[in-house]
Amino acid sequence: MSNDNHSINEFDFQLICEYFSSTDRQGPGSEACTLKAFSYLKDLPNNPHIADLGCGTGSSSLAIAKHNKVQITAIDLFPQFIEKLSVRTNQTILLGKIDTMVGDMGKLPFEKESFDAIWSEGAIYNIGFQRGIKEWYHFIKTYGYIAVTEATWLTNNRPKEIEDFWTDAYPEIDTLPNKVRQMEEAGYKNIITFVLPEDCWTKEYYIPQQKAQEIFLQKYMDNPTAQALITNQRYEAKLYQKYREYYGYVFYIGQK
Ligand code: SAH
């Protein structure tokens, strides 16, 4: 890659980070669903140690820590998100509960069996579901948990437009029974799965982006990359409206 390309990529990357750190979530989900998923983690020790991988600006870590006695290590590749999460953890109710770290979910610097649970909402796709569940197994204590959300087909047949979009964006998208089988093959007992309700995509994710998009477009009026980024986000939201019965995010909770 030439230096020119490198700097263009870095610039795109800055823009993407700036856009996504202007909203509270970087993927579909909700506090209620995070807490619901957490309620299935039975018999955890007192003050369990949890890793939140691909934490973004921390919506899951914050939800869990606000309502539970836990020690969370929240990790994201992008320093901008980690900085924002560090500011958000600066509330009395959270003091000392969340440690933040810039790091790569594909190269975790931890000892074997360090965590009572590994959490990851809307992020495991970055290294791929099958690779993630296999590699992270090593870092989970015996009888510890994995809780991840993952893009999933909700039907066996899909219209071509949405099939093509997802196959291009994330070839590992698959049906729920296939994902459960992959978890079992990786050594986990399937505890529960549930489909995130539509408001996790709309009210919690796409609607808050609308305001952020206007501000961003104003600021980068003459920047074609920024304009293209927003066009792309709007297209994704439109596809969701059109095809939401065919796909969704599913919470997969497994036990080692
Ligand atoms: N869990 C958050 C963010 C989901 S978006 C939420 O639900 O709101 C996916 C996140 O994965 C982004 O914050 C992105 O920066 C992060 N990410 C991408 N690749 C990563 C990697 N290799 N290691 C750690 N984090 C990564």
Side-chain angles (χ1 to χ4, degrees), residues 4-250:
D4 278 1
N5 278 341
H6 188 63
S7 58
I8 287 169
N9 284 340
E10 276 180 359
F11 180 55
D12 289 357
F13 168 83
Q14 286 304 324
L15 279 176
I16 292 167
C17 283
E18 181 182 332
Y19 173 69
F20 278 106
S21 56
S22 67
T23 55
D24 283 347
R25 321 192 55 89
Q26 291 72 45
S30 70
E31 178 165 319
C33 284
T34 299
L35 295 176
K36 176 178 167 182
F38 191 79
S39 74
Y40 292 107
L41 276 52
K42 302 291 183 210
D43 298 323
L44 287 170
N46 186 30
N47 204 19
H49 192 189
I50 298 166
D52 180 6
L53 306 181
C55 62
T57 61
S59 47
S60 324
S61 289
L62 293 165
I64 296 169
K66 242 196 280 170
H67 298 278
N68 298 281
K69 186 164 182 266
V70 287
Q71 186 61 50
I72 298 182
T73 301
I75 299 168
D76 201 278
L77 194 59
F78 297 149
Q80 290 90 327
F81 293 152
I82 290 296
E83 272 159 34
K84 186 160 175 202
L85 174 54
S86 303
V87 173
R88 292 173 91 189
T89 58
N90 210 1
Q91 315 167 26
T92 325
I93 188 177
L94 295 172
L95 275 185
K97 285 183 162 183
I98 303 177
D99 293 322
T100 58
M101 202 177 126
V102 174
D104 184 346
M105 61 172 76
K107 289 190 201 122
L108 295 174
F110 302 112
E111 304 274 309
K112 186 173 179 257
E113 304 195 347
S114 292
F115 299 101
D116 297 292
I118 286 191
W119 206 269
S120 185
E121 291 193 43
I124 194 171
Y125 74 89
N126 286 296
I127 58 167
F129 183 79
Q130 292 198 67
R131 177 180 161 197
I133 59 174
K134 271 189 205 128
E135 287 184 10
W136 299 350
Y137 190 85
H138 175 80
F139 300 104
I140 301 171
K141 293 179 188 167
T142 308
Y143 302 119
Y145 294 90
I146 187 165
V148 300
T149 61
E150 165 80 342
T152 303
W153 292 127
L154 303 179
T155 60
N156 284 328
N157 292 297
R158 283 79 52 176
K160 187 173 179 327
E161 185 181 23
I162 196 63
E163 178 99 36
D164 288 351
F165 173 81
W166 271 101
T167 307
D168 179 52
Y170 183 49
E172 257 194 74
I173 185 170
D174 208 335
T175 59
L176 195 154
N178 284 348
K179 297 265 173 200
V180 167
R181 209 187 48 240
Q182 289 163 4
M183 298 250 314
E184 288 170 345
E185 282 167 6
Y188 302 95
K189 174 179 170 199
N190 176 30
I191 298 295
I192 195 158
T193 62
F194 64 91
V195 180
L196 298 192
E198 275 174 35
D199 67 2
C200 287
W201 291 77
T202 51
K203 178 170 159 268
E204 302 281 346
Y205 183 54
Y206 289 133
I207 292 172
Q209 281 188 46
Q210 289 168 0
K211 183 104 195 100
Q213 287 167 356
E214 279 164 33
I215 296 167
F216 197 76
L217 286 176
Q218 280 288 323
K219 180 170 174 191
Y220 292 108
M221 215 178 290
D222 301 321
N223 181 326
T225 312
Q227 303 281 326
L229 171 65
I230 302 305
T231 304
N232 201 49
Q233 281 307 113
R234 288 178 170 169
Y235 176 61
E236 196 199 293
K238 225 174 100 192
L239 282 182
Y240 182 73
Q241 276 311 317
K242 194 167 167 192
Y243 294 115
R244 60 192 191 276
E245 74 223 67
Y246 297 99
Y247 68 97
Y249 260 63
V250 173

